[in-house]
Amino acid sequence: MVKVLRLLLVASLMLSGIAVAAQEDVTITVRCAANIAGGEGWRCDNFAAVEEQVEQELGINITLNLIQDNKAWADYKTEFVLAAEAGEAPDIVLSGHEDIGAWAAAGLIMPLDELIAQHEEFADVVPNLWASQTYDGVIYGIPQDAEARPIFYSKLLLADLGWSDEEIESLPERVRTGEFTFEDMLATAEEAVAEGVVEPGKGYFHRWGNGFDWLPYYLGNGGEIMTEDGQLVFDQDAALAAYELIGSFVKRGVTPETMIGTESSAIYAEFAPADNVMFYQGGTWQWADWARNYVADLGGNDYLLENVGLMLFPAMNDGVPLSLTHPLSYMISSGSEHPDVAIALLAAVTTPDANNRHAIDSFHLGILTTQVESEAYAADPVLSGAHYMLDYTRFAPNTPFYSAWSNAYWAGIQAAHTGTPAEEAVELAVTQLQNELGDQIVIR
């Protein structure tokens, strides 16, 4: 049926003199953000790789205008919004899935359900990723990548602490089953400091600034951000538990007081050699960056495989381990004059071959069910070994109000981290939420 629809689309283009004239030479602009040195260049480069295929498929000539850099996310997103408001938006824009809520509500991106139905490639997308692409029951994005945000650990330092090889290798499974909890991890970090295996403050490194990575502390303590019917909520009990936990890291001597505000490059330089820091809360894509730019002289990927492991975020009060995924999404601008061509290009890059190029080079998890079976993906022991984490993953909700929610939660985190009692941190967050969101938020 899908093939029939695609043939009808091509036939329609060929039979319509106006359409042929308009699309005989079609220019498509694609805007991507990527850490090219970290292997993310395929986000835009994949379109060049499939350009000829799509030209033959549609019987048109395509001029691709690929714009890709590593601009700061806030500036990058502002650039798109301003361009859209000026009627100069790119046809395809890559951004975090959380932008779908705000950009769809503002009419800056177009609904994709009908376009997706014309291309069978999209049926291979890992089913639970579509939830992250949906706003108000409508799909607005195509997943470009996914990742796990696990806890990395140093095998070297665990061995120095007296752990056996079997204990070290079985750690991810013991976390998955709930046998090894987040409290067990902190106790291990404390022991490493007490035994002199690591210096004080180097038992556990967490996120250095605002971002999604703080959500596991709230979600793992039973917190909910948005109900199934779309109501934004803030759970004070879950926030209190999260702030108490976050505030304990420095007090227990496993995290430095300066953790928040430290440059990410300084953190990578400390953790990647695996001989300074015991546990680090990070993202799977950082592995490729470390291999190329931080431990290349030690052996790169082979060195990391031998000395670094990764596991789910261990269970907290709700007893369930978890991971967090922040898929980046391709979206089609509402102002695009060629959405049929844009979606054909997106279908062509949503294949195991194309996505493997990005996933393997940048150490992101695959977005397609068949990627796990593909030879190239299966040959990467870390990627294929971490794919199970998608079964435990959680998302931030797509809502225009998520930034306000996140910023209020973050205000409480900063307060708790610097020693403010957790109860006062909760009050700070609640006050900010009520001031900014009013009736849009339910405080439980």
Side-chain angles (χ1 to χ4, degrees):
M1 182 60 185
V2 171
K3 290 183 177 178
V4 171
L5 289 172
R6 294 174 71 172
L7 289 172
L8 289 173
L9 170 63
V10 174
S12 174
L13 290 168
M14 296 179 66
L15 290 172
S16 170
I18 294 176
V20 169
Q23 297 189 354
E24 190 172 35
D25 189 358
V26 172
T27 297
I28 296 290
T29 298
V30 185
R31 183 71 173 100
C32 302
N35 174 8
I36 296 173
E40 297 175 347
W42 289 108
R43 284 176 176 158
C44 251
D45 295 344
N46 258 335
F47 290 99
V50 303
E51 178 182 3
E52 184 176 346
Q53 168 195 329
V54 177
E55 285 180 327
Q56 293 177 356
E57 184 177 305
L58 298 184
I60 60 174
N61 297 317
I62 299 174
T63 299
L64 279 178
N65 181 24
L66 304 179
I67 306 171
Q68 181 163 245
D69 57 32
N70 200 20
K71 181 181 286 190
W73 277 109
D75 296 336
Y76 174 87
K77 296 178 182 189
T78 299
E79 173 193 294
F80 172 73
V81 172
L82 293 176
E85 291 174 349
E88 299 174 352
D91 297 273
I92 298 172
V93 62
L94 176 82
S95 197
H97 77 93
E98 75 281 4
D99 292 315
I100 288 174
W103 293 356
L108 304 184
I109 54 177
M110 66 174 56
L112 301 180
D113 294 78
E114 292 184 5
L115 293 171
I116 286 171
Q118 298 172 5
H119 296 271
E120 61 190 357
E121 290 88 345
F122 298 122
D124 193 23
V125 172
V126 173
N128 67 356
L129 290 179
W130 286 118
S132 68
Q133 310 299 308
T134 301
Y135 172 70
D136 201 19
V138 177
I139 295 175
Y140 284 87
I142 305 294
Q144 186 273 324
D145 69 17
E147 82 286 336
R149 301 201 175 205
I151 301 291
F152 292 96
Y153 56 90
S154 166
K155 298 178 183 177
L156 278 177
L157 296 175
L158 286 174
D160 289 346
L161 194 59
W163 283 35
S164 68
D165 291 343
E166 191 280 331
E167 288 175 316
I168 295 171
E169 293 306 317
S170 67
L171 182 55
E173 178 62 13
R174 287 187 286 134
V175 169
R176 191 189 68 78
T177 60
E179 176 186 343
F180 188 89
T181 66
F182 197 86
E183 175 53 34
D184 292 329
M185 187 193 76
L186 290 181
T188 303
E190 278 186 304
E191 183 184 359
V193 172
E195 295 293 328
V197 173
V198 298
E199 296 176 6
K202 295 189 178 181
Y204 176 56
F205 279 10
H206 54 62
R207 172 80 178 179
W208 55 89
N210 196 1
F212 298 96
D213 304 72
W214 295 101
L215 292 180
Y217 303 104
Y218 176 82
L219 298 173
N221 283 297
E224 185 179 31
I225 303 173
M226 193 164 72
T227 63
E228 291 184 0
D229 59 1
Q231 175 63 58
L232 204 63
V233 299
F234 188 74
D235 187 313
Q236 296 183 86
D237 289 341
L240 180 64
Y243 292 154
E244 287 176 340
L245 184 60
I246 292 166
S248 75
F249 298 153
V250 172
K251 294 175 184 174
R252 296 175 72 163
V254 299
T255 302
E257 293 181 9
T258 55
M259 189 82 260
I260 289 180
T262 301
E263 292 288 334
S264 59
S265 57
I267 294 173
Y268 299 166
E270 285 264 32
F271 180 76
D275 57 0
N276 292 309
V277 179
M278 181 66 82
F279 297 106
Y280 164 62
Q281 175 197 359
T284 51
W285 70 95
Q286 292 164 357
W287 186 284
D289 195 16
W290 298 340
R292 290 173 178 156
N293 303 307
Y294 291 87
V295 295
D297 58 333
L298 299 174
N301 188 59
D302 289 341
Y303 180 83
L304 291 174
L305 284 171
E306 183 177 354
N307 297 300
V308 175
L310 63 164
M311 60 191 188
L312 289 165
F313 220 90
M316 288 172 275
N317 284 336
D318 71 352
V320 181
L322 73 159
S323 177
L324 197 70
T325 297
H326 172 233
L328 292 190
S329 309
Y330 291 122
M331 304 167 222
I332 298 179
S333 167
S334 295
S336 174
E337 296 179 358
H338 307 290
D340 290 338
V341 179
I343 199 69
L345 285 164
L346 290 174
V349 300
T350 308
T351 63
D353 285 346
N355 200 262
N356 275 345
R357 289 193 284 266
H358 170 75
I360 293 171
D361 275 9
S362 67
F363 203 75
H364 280 83
L365 300 184
I367 58 157
L368 304 171
T369 56
T370 57
Q371 270 178 275
V372 180
E373 303 164 1
S374 67
E375 185 175 347
Y377 194 81
D380 189 310
V382 184
L383 274 182
S384 57
H387 203 84
Y388 78 97
M389 293 185 180
L390 288 178
D391 294 336
Y392 295 83
T393 201
R394 309 281 289 274
F395 308 107
N398 290 334
T399 164
F401 307 112
Y402 177 71
S403 291
W405 189 100
S406 177
N407 289 336
Y409 176 51
W410 169 238
I413 289 168
Q414 293 177 92
H417 188 267
T418 54
T420 299
E423 293 81 359
E424 294 181 23
V426 172
E427 292 176 9
L428 176 67
V430 168
T431 299
Q432 185 166 324
L433 284 166
Q434 291 174 327
N435 288 340
E436 296 194 17
L437 295 177
D439 295 339
Q440 299 293 338
I441 183 82
V442 169
I443 308 295
R444 289 177 175 167

